[in-house]
Amino acid sequence: MDCSYFDAGVCRSCTLMGVPYGEQLARKDRHARDLLAPYGDAAWLPPVASAESGYRNKAKMVVSGTADAPTFGILDEAGRGVDLRECGICAPGVRAALPVLASFVTRTRIEPYSVPERRGELKYVLVTHSPDDELMVRFVVRTEAAVDRIRARLDELLAALPTAVVVTANLQPEHKAVVEGEKEIVLTPQSSLVMRVGGIPLRLRPQSFFQTNTAVAESLYGQVTEWVDQVSPSSVWDLYCGVGGFALNVAAPGRRVVGVETSTEAVRSARATAAAAGLPHVAFRTGDATAFALAAKTAPELVIVNPPRRGIGAELSSWLEGSGVPSIVYSSCNPTSLAHDLARMPSYRIRAGRVLDMFPQTGHLEVAVLLDRV
């Protein structure tokens, strides 16, 4: 993949840009296998490749510049906007939407926020693209006045961008390094974006986490489901479940599945999908994964964990080590924190593992392992 932004030195976020893709994939696979070798003589499956470009289903664009000439992209070292609306790793549907959204900013006269001057209204535009070529568009603004301006011309936006089925405004008034605030105002009748992955129509609400690479996420869900079916547990916990991707995919007759997630919006999404799919034996709880495990009276036969980059940590690792749970599936976006967690669980060994390239052109990767208690 070639990138004019990278070549010009204006954006270096994709640190492996220019490295042949086959070499990128081989490096990631080798790195994960070497790092995790001490934790079991695993049967490693071939890595799952991704499309080299156009794979990101979500763009988080910092809005800067002026209302007449807004930039959508990142900030440079001086806090000035760098326009990246042609970023090649974004899905075509996202790239097509960005010029329309920039024009909308100009028409609504919402002033982009200036970080150096601490003034302005519009901080970010967040765009998510679904496999059905539909969009969720979120405007992160500082005040209700900006929300009113967006609402007043919403019909114009929907006419110019008919793929936008969900439009929201998020209020984040503070000057700090936080993308979004707690208050989300849904401006369209539809409040969730349907993400059809592996035959399951996941419902993605604003502020809900979802994997940024839809095609590789489908492979990940498929691999985890295959491992779970091999173990054939009657009870499963899906900790850090997000919108329920793993829980809903591993659901089966006679199998009780419980998903746990801190995000209330994500749990609402997961429950809606389960209800629509007619899955009465899948339940979702809002709460901390570690606290849920520590308070439980009984343990399941299999636990799935999909934590953030920091891993599951010492407390949950310790609980799992002493729990007697026969099998664990651990999906990690950071093999280093995965290794740290495995070191705390010496009773488990890796039976199978697989690297999935969720983030081409970068050094990041997803690795999933099936652990057996020995």
Side-chain angles (χ1 to χ4, degrees), residues 41-164:
D41 187 16
W44 283 91
L45 295 163
V48 174
S50 168
E52 295 183 42
S53 62
Y55 66 84
R56 277 192 70 95
N57 58 33
K58 181 177 180 179
K60 179 187 75 175
M61 293 292 180
V62 180
V63 184
S64 191
T66 65
D68 286 319
T71 62
F72 279 34
I74 59 174
L75 299 178
D76 64 15
E77 293 180 355
R80 296 168 301 200
V82 176
D83 196 273
L84 300 177
R85 66 182 79 175
E86 293 297 328
C87 175
I89 66 171
C90 291
V94 171
R95 292 201 304 272
L98 296 178
V100 179
L101 293 168
S103 177
F104 181 72
V105 170
T106 298
R107 292 199 309 276
T108 54
R109 310 306 301 169
I110 302 177
E111 197 67 24
Y113 185 66
S114 170
V115 172
E117 298 172 331
R118 299 193 177 195
R119 64 174 177 80
E121 279 285 353
L122 180 59
K123 293 186 169 185
Y124 293 90
V125 169
L126 312 177
V127 184
T128 305
H129 179 260
S130 81
D132 294 334
D133 198 29
E134 294 181 332
L135 299 173
M136 177 189 294
V137 178
R138 302 173 61 212
F139 297 92
V140 181
V141 297
R142 295 181 68 204
T143 68
E144 295 272 6
V147 179
D148 292 340
R149 289 191 179 189
I150 295 169
R151 186 185 284 111
R153 306 191 77 139
L154 182 62
D155 288 346
E156 294 178 27
L157 175 60
L158 298 178
L161 193 62
T163 53

Side-chain angles (χ1 to χ4, degrees), residues 267-348:
V267 169
R268 289 178 66 186
S269 301
R271 287 173 175 167
T273 303
L279 298 173
H281 299 299
V282 182
F284 294 94
R285 305 282 184 265
T286 302
D288 176 75
T290 301
F292 175 84
L294 294 178
K297 295 180 180 179
T298 58
E301 293 180 8
L302 185 144
V303 173
I304 301 169
V305 291
N306 181 31
R309 288 189 60 79
R310 64 179 180 272
I312 63 175
E315 197 170 13
L316 184 53
S317 296
S318 176
W319 182 87
L320 286 166
E321 173 64 17
S323 67
V325 171
S327 301
I328 300 171
V329 176
Y330 194 135
S331 180
S332 171
C333 61
N334 184 356
T336 300
S337 62
L338 169 57
H340 290 160
D341 289 334
L342 293 180
R344 301 184 183 109
M345 299 188 293
S347 295
Y348 292 95

